[in-house]
Amino acid sequence: MAALDTTRTITGSNGLVGRIAAVYNAIATAIVEWNDARVTRNALAELSDRELEDIGLTRSDIDAVAAGKGGF
């Protein structure tokens, strides 16, 4: 009769494979964050000054909002 060992850790969660996965995950996260900021920056840049004023922003606030900085 066969027995299954259910107390083992997931292979690759530690060691080289886990570190490679962590690097890949960090790179993927950075790309997603960069793209989100790019899309936000482009969308806000397309708004008129009046539309920006309506949402409480000025043109100089666009970069800070896209970067997620400030109390916006």
Side-chain angles (χ1 to χ4, degrees):
M1 179 172 188
L4 297 176
D5 182 8
T6 59
T7 60
R8 293 180 13 192
T9 60
I10 297 172
T11 303
S13 63
N14 298 321
L16 181 60
V17 174
R19 288 183 295 211
I20 291 171
V23 168
Y24 173 78
N25 188 33
I27 292 169
T29 300
I31 291 170
V32 167
E33 289 175 355
W34 168 81
N35 191 54
D36 287 346
R38 183 188 65 82
V39 169
T40 300
R41 188 177 298 109
N42 289 342
L44 290 173
E46 290 178 3
L47 296 177
S48 69
D49 289 338
R50 171 68 183 170
E51 291 168 324
L52 286 170
E53 184 181 344
D54 285 345
I55 59 174
L57 298 175
T58 62
R59 293 241 170 249
S60 62
D61 296 331
I62 292 176
D63 286 332
V65 171
K69 298 177 183 174
F72 302 104

